[in-house]
Amino acid sequence: MRLLLVRHGETPLNAARVMQPPDTPLSPRGLLQARAVAERLRAEALSALWSSDLPRAWQTADAIARACGLAALPQPLLHERNFGDLRGRAYDSLGFDPLAMQEAPTGGESVPDFEARIDRAFDAALIAAQATGGTFVLVTHGLVIHSLLVRRVALPPGTTLPARIANASVTEIVAAAGPGMAPRALRIDCTAHLSSDRADDPLALSGG
């Protein structure tokens, strides 16, 4: 069993540090990043490709699907956390960190509700991947991947979780070491496939 968690490529609003409406597409650099991660996965024997159907994730999954000859399956449970009325506002103008707030913004989603939703997607992916013994790719969002790594995945000894998940990064997860144990991360937030013109911008928002 093997899961590859892929964050979508960069968007114009990631780079501008704006909380994103759901219809935000990839930027030109984000499209290049999507192609780069697709090339990285081209040689993989993938069993399934699941993706958030928000445009930024779906465009990334489409690049992978084309490279690997595998249809992407939309999974709304893999959406980014819904920040409601904060979407469309500049992150640095808010005066607080909306990515860390536990309560639901007006019209949005609380952390407990967000975690319960993405846990359903993760559990379904683990069951499907274990049943087939194959490699599943989940294309999703920065806060989704970060939350799963914090709560659901055993990190390698001595590993410090990065403060942000990079655009178009790959995180590799394999089966638990024993009964009752969490699945294990072998590689976290890897961007080795991104050349200098496609590199992740460390100042871009990692979620929202």
Side-chain angles (χ1 to χ4, degrees), residues 13 60 65 68 160 199 207:
L13 297 186
T60 305
C68 300
T160 300

Side-chain angles (χ1 to χ4, degrees), residues 39-205:
E39 285 303 312
R40 172 174 178 159
L41 300 181
R42 183 185 291 274
E44 296 273 1
L46 303 182
S47 299
L49 173 60
W50 293 4
S51 178
S52 159
D53 56 1
L54 297 182
R56 56 194 188 269
W58 193 251
Q59 286 178 286
T60 305
D62 182 65
I64 296 169
R66 291 174 183 272
C68 300
L70 189 67
L73 179 66
Q75 291 287 352
L77 292 176
L78 291 171
H79 282 188
E80 183 60 287
R81 182 181 171 191
N82 178 358
F83 285 93
D85 290 356
L86 296 178
R87 293 181 295 192
R89 298 181 62 183
Y91 172 88
D92 297 314
S93 74
L94 294 173
F96 63 95
D97 183 3
L99 306 185
M101 65 188 298
Q102 294 291 305
E103 66 273 19
T106 302
E109 192 174 29
S110 69
V111 165
D113 287 344
F114 168 64
E115 290 176 346
R117 170 171 60 79
I118 65 175
D119 281 351
R120 294 199 298 275
F122 190 61
D123 289 339
L126 288 175
I127 291 169
Q130 288 166 351
T132 65
T135 296
F136 270 50
V137 175
L138 306 183
V139 181
T140 184
H141 304 267
L143 296 182
V144 174
I145 296 171
H146 193 273
S147 178
L148 292 174
L149 289 173
V150 168
R151 301 178 302 105
R152 299 295 309 274
V153 178
L155 306 183
T159 298
T160 300
L161 190 64
R164 61 184 297 279
I165 301 298
N167 284 117
S169 67
V170 176
T171 294
E172 182 179 1
I173 296 170
V174 296
M181 300 178 69
R184 300 169 293 136
L186 296 185
R187 184 177 289 105
I188 295 171
D189 195 38
C190 180
T191 57
H193 49 285
L194 298 181
S195 56
S196 58
D197 63 324
R198 306 178 186 196
D200 174 64
D201 178 358
L203 297 180
L205 281 184

Side-chain angles (χ1 to χ4, degrees), residues 16-32:
R17 297 178 62 79
V18 172
M19 304 295 289
Q20 299 184 93
D23 58 353
T24 306
L26 295 180
S27 65
R29 178 157 63 172
L31 290 169
L32 292 175

